[in-house]
Amino acid sequence: MRFMMCKLKERNKVMPKRKLRNLEVSAIGLGCMGFSHGYGPGPDKNEAIKLIRQAYDLGCTFFDTAEGYGLGSNEELVGEALKPIRDKVIIATKFRVADSEYGSKKKTLRSVRSHLDASLKRLGTEHVELYYQHRINKNVPVEEIAYCMGELIREGKILGWGQSQSTEDEIRRAHAVTPLTAIQSEYSIMERMFEKDVIPACEELGIGFVPFSPLASGFLSGKVNADTQYVGDDVRRVITRFNRENILANQSLLDLITRFAEMKGATPAQISLAWMLHKKDFIVPIPGSRKLERIGENLGAADVELTEEEFTQIEAELAKIEVHGNRTDEDIAKLRWLK
């Protein structure tokens, strides 16, 4: 921890920047969902606002929320926290379109605009820089959503748009109508399925890629053990990689990143994020945390540079390791039945 705080001080809180198409953001953002739900009891409102503002003070300019996080309360929280620095930050939020909201282009646009207007009101802003479709509704043509996004961009209500958990085909079809700014999907050392086609497509088309759960819901921090217990709405109650047997089986992965962390004078979480940043210059992870020391640690990963030789060594070792358990939407869906 002493090393991490020194690193933050030495760089005078200046964070390297990256581009999501035309949006310039800090190389590492902050996922804000956990302040409202998803990981058990969080900090109170005043503490959460303080933490979001401290993340900005440490160099973060990219903040992610969604209309569905805390039934809108997360947007209200993020909006209040960022109000004093609104012109200095990039806000991303998300919407979902139900089957009943889709029909003609006019009906779909009316529905999407209604979602956006509600989000803008909660955020206390006249526009958002990045507006994602929160998961793809397979019953609604992506071309129709892309048309709506183009209209909202022309109206100045959003500066860019994105998709979440989309396929390469869905990306290409939507991008042909209104160019995409970013794709937000799960990506980490433990979940690499999008390396096959989605990330290469983003590179080809000039689209940014924003990984959520870049630390595998905290697993890659090295602070999880087989006896850790999760309560309430904590998604880790149903994510199979947090089963006791899988935690033990995945120890070799933690041993690998811990070894490199010791070599670099960093933490396992920082190595995991540095590995991701080294991959492509259009990748911008958004780890979430509710403690200042963890936020500082995650943002400090931008200062941990892997050499090409170190990166190659990590990749070679990862190729020998089988990841046990998975984080899937099906796992998360089970959470609604938990009490």
Side-chain angles (χ1 to χ4, degrees):
M1 181 59 64
R2 184 179 298 113
F3 170 81
M4 181 271 291
M5 295 308 292
C6 288
K7 289 284 286 186
L8 289 170
K9 184 176 181 180
E10 288 169 4
R11 65 179 171 90
N12 196 30
K13 303 172 186 174
V14 175
M15 171 82 69
K17 297 292 193 294
R18 292 195 164 197
K19 284 287 192 73
L20 302 174
R21 186 166 284 279
N22 296 321
L23 289 180
E24 185 175 76
V25 299
S26 53
I28 298 174
L30 180 66
C32 296
M33 182 188 79
F35 290 120
S36 299
H37 82 127
Y39 287 96
D44 63 30
K45 178 181 177 180
N46 290 335
E47 178 64 15
I49 289 173
K50 180 180 178 181
L51 288 168
I52 291 171
R53 291 177 180 171
Q54 287 174 316
Y56 170 77
D57 291 339
L58 292 173
C60 179
T61 64
F62 185 36
F63 298 86
D64 183 87
T65 182
E67 65 176 12
Y69 296 166
L71 300 177
S73 64
N74 195 254
E75 286 183 322
E76 293 175 350
L77 174 70
V78 170
E80 184 173 346
L82 298 178
K83 184 176 181 179
I85 48 174
R86 179 63 187 95
D87 62 336
K88 298 179 175 64
V89 298
I90 301 296
I91 296 177
T93 192
K94 313 176 196 71
F95 71 97
R96 291 180 186 268
V97 174
D99 291 353
S100 60
E101 297 176 300
Y102 157 68
S104 65
K105 283 187 176 181
K106 287 186 177 180
K107 179 180 179 180
T108 306
L109 178 57
R110 186 166 58 247
S111 297
V112 174
R113 186 182 284 119
S114 177
H115 282 276
L116 176 58
D117 287 343
S119 287
L120 293 178
K121 183 177 180 179
R122 287 189 291 266
L123 287 163
T125 187
E126 295 181 349
H127 74 278
V128 290
E129 285 77 13
L130 183 52
Y131 199 41
Y132 294 105
Q133 182 181 8
H134 202 173
R135 304 293 194 273
I136 300 298
N137 183 335
K138 303 298 182 182
N139 297 322
V140 180
V142 294
E143 293 87 351
E144 193 127 321
I145 298 298
Y147 160 78
C148 295
M149 295 299 102
E151 291 298 303
L152 295 176
I153 289 171
R154 280 186 280 276
E155 293 171 12
K157 288 190 171 184
I158 66 175
L159 300 188
W161 82 286
Q163 297 173 324
S164 173
Q165 296 287 90
S166 49
T167 65
E168 179 189 2
D169 176 66
E170 290 165 340
I171 291 168
R172 292 186 181 278
R173 286 161 48 204
H175 186 77
V177 177
T178 302
L180 283 151
T181 303
I183 301 299
Q184 184 183 128
S185 295
E186 182 177 7
Y187 180 55
S188 72
I189 281 179
M190 297 189 79
E191 180 53 79
R192 302 175 63 177
M193 62 177 288
F194 293 110
E195 289 182 351
K196 300 174 184 177
D197 47 22
V198 167
I199 292 178
C202 287
E203 183 169 30
E204 174 192 337
L205 299 172
I207 302 169
F209 188 79
V210 179
F212 70 79
S213 293
L215 295 176
S217 297
F219 189 93
L220 296 171
S221 69
K223 298 175 177 65
V224 173
N225 61 59
D227 297 319
T228 303
Q229 298 293 315
Y230 303 101
V231 299
D233 72 344
D234 197 313
V235 295
R236 289 168 291 192
R237 292 179 66 187
V238 294
I239 297 175
T240 55
R241 71 165 66 104
F242 289 94
N243 293 349
R244 179 182 176 84
E245 61 271 20
N246 288 332
I247 288 175
L248 295 174
N250 287 322
Q251 186 59 47
S252 59
L253 177 57
L254 292 178
D255 290 343
L256 170 62
I257 60 177
T258 298
R259 186 169 78 250
F260 275 87
E262 292 172 350
M263 288 170 50
K264 301 291 288 185
T267 68
Q270 289 175 332
I271 293 298
S272 299
L273 293 170
W275 167 85
M276 183 175 293
L277 293 173
H278 189 99
K279 277 271 181 179
K280 301 290 181 181
D281 62 6
F282 57 87
I283 293 179
V284 180
I286 50 169
S289 187
R290 287 95 59 88
K291 294 181 179 180
L292 179 58
E293 58 266 33
R294 295 285 81 78
I295 292 173
E297 177 183 354
N298 293 340
L299 297 179
D303 297 316
V304 180
E305 296 185 11
L306 297 174
T307 66
E308 194 61 40
E309 181 180 0
E310 290 167 341
F311 177 78
T312 301
Q313 289 176 356
I314 292 175
E315 289 284 79
E317 291 299 316
L318 287 175
K320 303 173 186 176
I321 296 175
E322 177 184 358
V323 175
H324 297 266
N326 194 18
R327 189 280 191 202
T328 65
D329 286 343
E330 288 75 18
D331 284 340
I332 297 300
K334 297 174 187 175
L335 191 63
R336 73 185 64 177
W337 308 111
L338 294 179
K339 297 181 179 179

